């Protein structure tokens, strides 16, 4: 099941405008008319984002497209580091949400740490420390069995 998830979610080269033109127009309007300064991205590591397809196989294309758009609108990101890529999850069950994200903790926390480290390294290389100092990061882990929710806004 884990390999199937990796092959199903190949990176796309489409700009955010092609995927969500209604949302893009709404963000532009919110920035212009309401002064919106930050947008929180939920589910950044979900399989639908095609960020991590297997050990050491990462694509930052979709994250970069979103962040580039926001920077172009003079807005900043709140990046929620969730859900769990299927290949890395301790269980293959998904939540009851419409888009079926995997909300299980990682099977291997070292692999998860390597993914987060690779993402952080990429963001620093692409955007720089000064730009990133204006962002917020939310670390999200849901534990279904213990019914706990852990969230930190860094």
């Amino acid at each position: 099941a884990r390999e199937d998830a990796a092959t199903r979610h190949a990176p796309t080269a489409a700009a955010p405008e092609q995927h969500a033109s209604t949302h893009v127009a709404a963000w532009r309007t919110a920035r212009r008319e309401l002064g919106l300064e930050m947008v929180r991205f939920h589910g950044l590591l979900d399989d639908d984002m095609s960020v991590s397809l297997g050990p050491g196989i990462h694509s930052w294309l979709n994250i970069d497209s979103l962040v580039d758009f926001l920077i172009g609108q003079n807005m900043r990101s709140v990046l929620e580091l969730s859900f769990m890529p299927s290949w890395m999850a301790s269980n293959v069950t998904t939540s009851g949400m419409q888009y079926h994200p995997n909300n299980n903790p990682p099977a291997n926390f070292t692999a998860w740490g390597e993914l987060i480290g690779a993402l952080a390294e990429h963001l620093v290389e692409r955007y720089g420390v000064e730009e990133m100092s204006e962002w917020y990061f939310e670390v999200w882990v849901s534990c279904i069995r213990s019914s706990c929710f852990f969230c930190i806004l860094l």
Side-chain angles (χ1 to χ4, degrees), residues 42 46 83 91-104 140 142 144:
H42 175 70
D46 186 65
F83 287 97
N91 195 326
V92 295
T93 61
T94 59
S95 76
M97 296 180 186
Q98 182 179 4
Y99 54 98
H100 307 293
N102 192 314
N103 60 352
N104 292 287
W140 176 94
S142 177
I144 294 175

Side-chain angles (χ1 to χ4, degrees), residues 2-136:
R2 293 174 194 237
E3 290 179 23
D4 292 339
T7 56
R8 264 198 330 263
H9 300 286
T12 61
E17 287 88 351
Q18 294 170 330
H19 288 300
S21 60
T22 302
H23 297 312
V24 168
W27 290 340
R28 286 183 175 141
T29 300
R31 175 65 181 146
R32 184 180 60 251
E33 296 181 15
L34 302 175
L36 183 70
E37 295 178 356
M38 299 189 100
V39 174
R40 177 178 175 256
F41 287 104
H42 175 70
L44 199 65
L45 303 176
D46 186 65
D47 286 339
D48 288 341
M49 287 294 290
S50 302
V51 170
S52 186
L53 304 175
I57 306 169
H58 310 305
S59 173
W60 314 121
L61 180 69
N62 290 324
I63 292 174
D64 291 347
S65 295
L66 293 167
V67 173
D68 291 348
F69 171 77
L70 288 182
I71 290 172
Q73 303 302 307
N74 198 27
M75 297 167 68
R76 297 296 173 260
S77 302
V78 177
L79 300 178
E80 179 192 285
L81 304 175
S82 70
F83 287 97
M84 195 59 56
S86 293
W87 73 267
M88 187 184 292
S90 59
N91 195 326
V92 295
T93 61
T94 59
S95 76
M97 296 180 186
Q98 182 179 4
Y99 54 98
H100 307 293
N102 192 314
N103 60 352
N104 292 287
N108 180 325
F109 279 89
T110 300
W112 188 80
E114 289 170 358
L115 168 60
I116 299 306
L119 173 59
E121 184 177 311
H122 167 74
L123 294 173
V124 168
E125 286 177 11
R126 184 173 177 97
Y127 301 105
V129 172
E130 185 176 339
E131 173 63 35
M132 287 188 61
S133 70
E134 300 294 323
W135 303 1
Y136 290 93

